[in-house]
């Protein structure tokens, strides 16, 4: 782990949630882990994290942008430091949110099992992990690296867009030999998508009000997604 991480905090940048679980060892704490490529992060992701926090009684949500996603090696993904910076700008101001460099700093391709195993090892048993991501990603969960181990490390919250039928995800779960603690929930604001935002920028169109203002400024200043 880099020196920068050690100076800031162990799990997340501020270190605010590093000691979660130690305050009252007799109590259960739920920690949300918001995993995604976040290329770019948008208001749908933020609403999703906030609603998951409320609905699943999460003490905090730590956003962990992927480093080098194994399943996207064949396409262009914005550099991990730029994606991390956009997440940092987006979550600033919410005391229950923070951003982590865990996957940005880990060399090689990113696998969720490595992240969750690290977190499981770090936190005491009274901290339960809830991995939040999109339902599209969850459909393939059963094929992710070390699926049987993954299922023991965390519960999974799959957020879907309006109109998206979660049946495919449920059917995949039924068929799978590995059983996950899986929760599905619909997030209306997820009608916004990163793919659509990249297309808008490439076509010279505005992303204003679809991403937080400082993120929009960053995208424009860095000329991201223009080609
Ligand atoms: P993706 O394939 O780009 O996204 C799948 C769908 O889910 C997209 O529609 C995406 O919308 C949405 N989505 C992604 N993250 C979300 C979030 N946190 N909340 C709500 N919607 C979200 O998936 P990805 O972003 O690359 O991967 C998602 C997470 O799954 C990451 O943490 C990744 O590391 C993990 N993953 C792990 C493995 C593995 O370990 N083998 C394999 C696949 C994925 P937007 O485009 O609008 O974000």
């Amino acid at each position: 782990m880099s020196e920068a991480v050690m100076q800031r905090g162990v799990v997340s940048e501020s270190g605010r949630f590093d000691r979660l679980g130690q305050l009252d060892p007799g109590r259960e704490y739920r920690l949300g882990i918001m995993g995604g490529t976040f290329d770019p992060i948008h208001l749908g992701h933020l609403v999703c994290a906030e609603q998951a926090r409320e609905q699943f009684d999460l003490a905090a949500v730590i956003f962990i942008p992927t480093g080098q996603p194994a399943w996207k090696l064949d396409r262009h993904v914005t550099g991990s430091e730029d994606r991390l910076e956009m997440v940092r700008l987006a979550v600033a101001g919410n005391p229950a949110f923070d951003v982590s460099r865990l996957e940005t700093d880990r060399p090689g391709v990113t696998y969720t099992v490595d992240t969750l195993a690290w977190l499981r090892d770090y936190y005491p048993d009274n901290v339960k992990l809830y991995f939040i991501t999109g339902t599209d990603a969850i459909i393939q969960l059963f094929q992710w690296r070390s699926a049987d181990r993954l299922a023991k490390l965390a519960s999974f919250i799959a957020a879907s867009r309006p109109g998206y039928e979660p049946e495919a995800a449920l059917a995949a779960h039924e068929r799978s030999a590995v059983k996950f603690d899986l929760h599905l929930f619909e997030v209306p604001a997820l009608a916004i998508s990163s793919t659509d935002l990249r297309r808008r920028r490439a076509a010279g169109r505005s992303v204003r009000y679809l991403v937080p203002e400082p993120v929009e400024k960053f995208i424009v200043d860095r000329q991201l997604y223009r080609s």
Side-chain angles (χ1 to χ4, degrees):
M1 191 172 304
S2 79
E3 208 177 305
V5 177
M6 296 307 289
Q7 280 168 3
R8 287 182 177 119
V10 182
V11 178
S12 61
E13 294 225 319
S14 73
R16 278 203 303 283
F17 310 114
D18 283 0
R19 292 168 62 81
L20 191 69
Q22 293 176 29
L23 294 173
D24 180 355
R27 186 189 142 188
E28 179 184 296
Y29 297 84
R30 297 175 167 195
L31 178 64
I33 303 298
M34 184 78 170
T37 304
F38 302 127
D39 192 16
I41 189 162
H42 51 70
L43 293 182
H45 294 132
L46 296 171
V47 172
C48 169
E50 180 67 3
Q51 289 187 357
R53 185 189 67 72
E54 204 173 60
Q55 192 165 324
F56 295 91
D57 197 22
L58 308 176
V61 179
I62 297 180
F63 287 65
I64 308 189
T66 57
Q68 193 187 348
W71 53 103
K72 289 184 178 172
L73 295 176
D74 57 344
R75 63 184 114 148
H76 174 76
V77 175
T78 305
S80 55
E81 289 291 344
D82 276 352
R83 288 183 289 110
L84 180 100
E85 180 59 22
M86 290 189 276
V87 174
R88 185 184 289 133
L89 292 168
V91 304
N94 186 330
F97 288 177
D98 204 356
V99 60
S100 169
R101 298 187 59 94
L102 278 180
E103 294 189 351
T104 309
D105 286 345
R106 191 191 307 137
V109 293
T110 303
Y111 292 104
T112 301
V113 67
D114 297 331
T115 307
L116 292 179
W118 189 94
L119 290 165
R120 191 57 285 156
D121 201 39
Y122 178 83
Y123 281 108
D125 287 348
N126 63 332
V127 175
K128 304 291 174 207
L129 304 176
Y130 283 75
F131 188 81
I132 310 162
T133 193
T135 307
D136 307 11
I138 288 290
I139 290 175
Q140 274 132 37
L141 178 63
F142 319 98
Q143 290 157 23
W144 290 9
R145 175 174 276 201
S146 311
D148 47 350
R149 190 159 170 234
L150 259 184
K152 296 189 184 99
L153 291 168
S155 297
F156 289 78
I157 300 174
S160 66
R161 304 194 142 89
Y164 180 92
E165 302 295 333
E167 280 73 21
L170 290 172
H173 191 234
E174 295 284 304
R175 283 194 305 272
S176 169
V178 183
K179 294 297 175 218
F180 287 80
D181 181 33
L182 182 61
H183 307 263
L184 303 176
F185 85 127
E186 187 179 278
V187 183
L190 274 179
I192 305 171
S193 86
S194 299
T195 305
D196 176 57
L197 294 176
R198 293 194 300 272
R199 285 194 190 125
R200 280 171 176 273
R201 283 282 298 163
R205 292 165 63 205
S206 169
V207 297
R208 197 170 186 188
Y209 306 125
L210 298 171
V211 299
E213 211 173 310
V215 174
E216 189 222 350
K217 185 174 182 317
F218 184 87
I219 289 172
V220 171
D221 288 351
R222 299 276 295 163
Q223 300 197 10
L224 298 181
Y225 315 117
R226 284 316 301 269
S227 58

